[in-house]
Structures are given as structure tokens and as C-alpha cells.
Amino acid sequence: MTISPSIFKAYDIRGIVPATVNEGIALKLGRAFGTVALRQGQTTVAVGRDGRLSGQLLADALMRGLQDVGVQVIDVGMVTTPMLYFAACTLCSSGIQVTGSHNPRDYNGFKMVMGGKAIYGDEIQALRQLMVDESWTLKSGGSRTAADVLPAYSAKIVGDIRLARPLKIVVDCGNGVAGASAPAILRAIGCEVTELFSEVDGNFPNHHPDPSKPENLRDLIAALQHSDAELGLAFDGDGDRLGIVTRDGSNIYPDRQMMLFAQDVLSRVPGGTIVFDVKCSQRLAPAIAAAGGVPLMFKTGHSLIKAKMRELDSPLGGEMSGHIFFKERWFGFDDGTYAGCRLLEIVSKVADSNALLHALPTSFSTPELNVPCAEGEPHAVVAQLVAQAAFAAPATMNTIDGLRVDWPDGFGLVRASNTTPVLVLRFEGHTPEALARIEADMLALLRAVKPDAHFEQAAH
């Protein structure tokens, strides 16, 4: 059986079913992951799956592989990725979620936690090598038991969240797996919920479950216009990302959500370090500092942000893609349902939640743009950009993840995606004129290095 190197991404394993991800791959991954887990003293592994059509077959093969090397498997069934993380915080310390996240419906893959940490980068490549070499030892003693984590997960959230007043909301789960849990939890904290597309259906018949793309919010915006609900919430396919829409149809992007979350968290954790990725608004760091926190910009990637938060004992982190990580009052993993509940708790304290959200600082920005490249080309292009970049003061350059150039009135970013062979571009200006100038300056530099660059709107 061929093992395609392309499925081993920076933060997870992902590919097309059955061409590159199939039962044979899942079985080998189970044996490889189980082998490494046992070496680290991890004898128990939780396994969950999202609502994709191939999920059950892949999960069954994965669990067989884990059992083959002597692992005790806890099957938590069809759950959101955060619910699998919850299982790996409460029932054991390691887990694998079978999920295609926000990818098209014929994709599936695996997100992994070992010993309480998301595994990524070299650790994923080490699993690939184990799978290729088949250097595991089959042994008896493996087992599989089932567990329902929803009651404990729901109780944990409901016990933590306090709404100051009841809220009317619309929730669009996009036929993703969050539909099986999020609406009930939102009702339990005190919301009146109008549901859109809560039925879990891996065909995604209504729209794709990716709230970071504006076209996937159209149904939610329309429902808000025809109701007296205050806010709309949208979840991605595996429930670890959140979209927020106001009554008038405005999308409150995750970097603006982070301003609100930071103010709230820092009121209880003064001086805390708040971690965010290089794609976030220039307005975010001053908002964190004004709230008494220490802003820290870091590399994009949910596993990387989580690791940096652990290193710094950070109470809160977030990414422009919609992953929000609460350590204060929660476990530190990204969870769309919990982030939604925290947002509702904050806005319930004011009479007009929409006014509060609209008052958050904002700028003019492009959607995230992608420049398709040959395999392996993006990192080389970024290295050339960094070498050639020469922007006069007051511009400042940050090269922690690609090239980000900040001016007093905005920023430009070109970075290499860690998951697909594209360059990721984002531009922001305090005025439309500043945005146009920054975009022109950054694109001139890019075209000097890659003359054939052409742009597409990003997948997320």
C-alpha cells in the first residue's frame, strides 16, 4: 500500500478518501501512534470522529490499529474535535479525532493529541516514518470501550457560563458535527435558539461548514434579518472554529472577537500574555495593552499557538482563522462552542450587544488572498522576499512567520502556508488610501521575486 507523503501536514494528517486516506492508512496510523504513545507511558487513547461519511470506517480501522499494539481505546463516537480534546483532558491524556475540518466533503484526516499536547511538525513526520517502516510490535492486551462525553462536556460549560440576561440567537452549524451538541448547550446557558442546518450530514447539502468564508454566512445573515434575534453564531465542520454575525449582517472577524475576549480575561488575569497570529489586525495589540495585557504576535497554526501559550502560561490565544484558545476557566484548547458561550456571556452584560461589537476597533482590509505555487516553492519565495525587502522607516519588519511589514497606518503580510503549496497574503490599512498603498508596495516586492504571481481568494 502506498503512503502518500502529501497527507502529512504541519498540524494534522489530511487527504482525499479513498485515494490518499483510507482504512489501510488509518490502521497503520493507529499502530504507529499507539507505539509512540506506549513509549511515552500513555496506555489509553480516546478516538472520536466528525460527521463525515467516511468517519466511521476510518475510526474503526484506526481503533483496530491502536488495539493491535496493546492500547486501551476509548471510543467517544461522533463528537466535535473540542469534545475529543475534552476527553483527552478528562478521561485520558491522548486522543485522535477523525476529521476533515473545513475541507471539501471528500476529504478526511486526523488531529492528534499525545500526553496532553497537540502533535505537529517533526512528530507527525516521525509517525509517517513509523508507518512506512512498519516498525511496531503487535501484541495482545488492547481493548475498546465506549464513552459518552457529551453530558460531562455540556455540564462543564453550563456550570462555567453566566448570562446576565436571556439572549435570542440564530445558530448555523452547516450540517457539521456541532449541530449534535451546540444548540442544546446554548439553550442550557439561557439562550433562545433558532437553528439552521443542525442535522449532521457529511454531504453538506446547504453550504460548506466554514464560517471564515463570507458566502457561507449568507443563510445566517438572511435568518437574522427575518427574526428578532440579536446575534448569529456559525460553526465549522468539526466545531473548533466560530463565526459571529451581528443583526445587521456584519461579520465580527476573530481578531476583533479577541479584543473583547482579552478585555474580559485580563479583568481577572491582569498582566497576562495574550498570544495571537501574524494574520491578526494591527488594532489587536494596542487593545490588549490598553486592557492591561502583554500582546505577543506568533506564528500561524493552532498547534503552534497552543504550544506557545503553554510555554508562557498564557490565559488566552487566538488566530485569524477562528481558532480561539481559552486557558482561563477552560482547558486551553480551541473550541467554537465554548468561545461562543464566552462571547454571549460578555455581551449579555450590556443592553445592546450589537453596539458593543460594532464599537470594537476596525480597519480596512483585504480578504485573505492565496498565490498558488509549485510544491516547495512558497518557503523559497518568502526567503527571497525577506532578503530583498527594504522598506524605509517608519516601516518595521517582522519575520517570525513570513514577512509582515507594519506601517503606522496598516500592515502587509506574505507568508508560506504550512498546509498547502500557496503563499498567504493579507493587507490592512486604517484608511482605504493606506490599504491601497500598502497592497501596492507589497505586491511590487512580491512580483519582483515571483513575476507570475496571481491571486485567488483563500479557502479560509
Side-chain angles (χ1 to χ4, degrees):
M1 184 187 70
T2 307
I3 299 176
S4 170
S6 68
I7 66 174
F8 298 88
K9 310 295 186 184
Y11 323 119
D12 54 29
I13 295 171
R14 215 180 320 151
I16 296 172
V17 178
T20 55
V21 170
N22 47 51
E23 287 176 88
I25 291 290
L27 181 79
K28 284 177 181 283
L29 175 63
R31 291 175 174 180
F33 186 95
T35 298
V36 177
L38 290 168
R39 280 182 200 153
Q40 296 185 11
Q42 302 288 322
T43 57
T44 306
V45 176
V47 173
R49 67 179 194 280
D50 69 12
R52 286 171 185 261
L53 304 176
S54 57
Q56 182 74 68
L57 275 175
L58 293 174
D60 283 342
L62 176 71
M63 290 187 278
R64 280 200 308 276
L66 287 162
Q67 288 171 260
D68 285 347
V69 294
V71 169
Q72 318 300 308
V73 177
I74 303 175
D75 176 7
V76 296
M78 190 175 74
V79 293
T80 63
T81 295
M83 287 167 68
L84 181 277
Y85 293 155
F86 178 81
C89 288
T90 57
L91 302 179
C92 55
S93 302
S94 299
I96 305 176
Q97 174 78 347
V98 180
T99 175
S101 189
H102 60 276
N103 282 91
R105 68 183 186 183
D106 54 344
Y107 279 72
N108 216 331
F110 310 90
K111 291 182 179 177
M112 297 164 283
V113 177
M114 192 174 300
K117 298 176 184 175
I119 69 169
Y120 60 93
D122 291 344
E123 296 159 305
I124 289 178
Q125 292 305 318
L127 286 175
R128 176 173 82 93
Q129 200 56 53
L130 247 178
M131 290 166 68
V132 170
D133 297 342
E134 299 190 359
S135 52
W136 45 64
T137 303
L138 303 183
K139 53 174 163 272
S140 59
S143 66
R144 174 174 167 180
T145 55
D148 179 6
V149 296
L150 180 57
Y153 172 78
S154 178
K156 183 78 174 169
I157 296 178
V158 174
D160 178 70
I161 299 293
R162 291 285 174 269
L163 296 191
R165 60 184 175 87
L167 295 168
K168 280 189 180 181
I169 59 173
V170 182
V171 176
D172 184 346
C173 295
N175 300 108
V177 71
S181 55
I185 290 171
L186 290 162
R187 286 192 180 96
I189 67 166
C191 293
E192 185 178 318
V193 180
T194 300
E195 296 182 44
L196 298 179
F197 318 132
S198 293
E199 183 187 350
V200 180
D201 183 346
N203 290 304
F204 306 128
N206 295 288
H207 63 74
H208 200 63
D210 182 359
S212 64
K213 296 198 77 165
E215 63 266 28
N216 295 325
L217 299 173
R218 287 181 195 138
D219 295 311
L220 182 58
I221 290 167
L224 283 164
Q225 288 169 345
H226 295 105
S227 79
D228 58 349
E230 281 189 56
L231 289 173
L233 275 63
F235 299 106
D236 75 334
D238 65 333
D240 60 6
R241 293 190 294 134
L242 170 71
I244 294 288
V245 176
T246 59
R247 188 187 295 129
D248 66 357
S250 299
N251 186 352
I252 305 299
Y253 285 100
D255 50 0
R256 292 179 79 201
Q257 296 173 29
M258 280 290 291
M259 298 174 193
L260 202 61
F261 291 140
Q263 290 168 9
D264 177 59
V265 168
L266 290 165
S267 70
R268 293 178 298 276
V269 190
T273 299
I274 310 298
V275 183
F276 55 93
D277 79 322
V278 293
K279 294 196 283 189
C280 286
S281 170
Q282 196 180 59
R283 307 278 196 180
L284 178 54
I288 291 167
V294 178
L296 182 80
M297 186 162 66
F298 197 57
K299 300 173 184 179
T300 292
H302 64 93
S303 302
L304 305 176
I305 297 277
K306 277 183 267 204
K308 180 55 79 170
M309 287 177 65
R310 192 178 302 108
E311 176 192 325
L312 299 172
D313 196 23
S314 164
L316 174 69
E319 286 193 289
M320 190 64 197
S321 60
H323 293 275
I324 308 287
F325 315 87
F326 286 93
K327 187 69 174 75
E328 190 248 1
R329 291 167 46 186
W330 197 239
F331 297 92
F333 57 71
D334 35 337
D335 187 335
T337 299
Y338 182 72
C341 290
R342 287 285 288 255
L343 183 112
L344 294 168
E345 181 182 77
I346 295 166
V347 303
S348 75
K349 296 172 185 173
V350 299
D352 188 343
S353 57
N354 284 257
L356 176 67
L357 293 169
H358 283 305
L360 295 168
T362 190
S363 291
F364 298 88
S365 62
T366 59
E368 188 176 306
L369 301 170
N370 283 351
V371 176
C373 295
E375 197 73 49
E377 185 186 12
H379 289 281
V381 171
V382 167
Q384 285 181 270
L385 291 174
V386 169
Q388 292 190 23
F391 293 99
T396 59
M397 294 199 301
N398 183 313
T399 57
I400 193 168
D401 184 2
L403 176 65
R404 174 167 164 150
V405 185
D406 279 80
W407 286 267
D409 56 356
F411 80 91
L413 171 72
V414 183
R415 62 176 289 275
S417 168
N418 287 316
T419 52
T420 48
V422 299
L423 293 167
V424 178
L425 279 57
R426 186 161 146 68
F427 308 110
E428 176 183 278
H430 295 192
T431 63
E433 295 75 21
L435 173 61
R437 185 195 82 241
I438 290 166
E439 187 169 352
D441 286 353
M442 294 293 287
L443 291 182
L445 173 64
L446 175 61
R447 289 212 162 95
V449 170
K450 184 174 168 60
D452 63 341
H454 71 275
F455 310 101
E456 300 172 353
Q457 198 152 329
H460 89 247

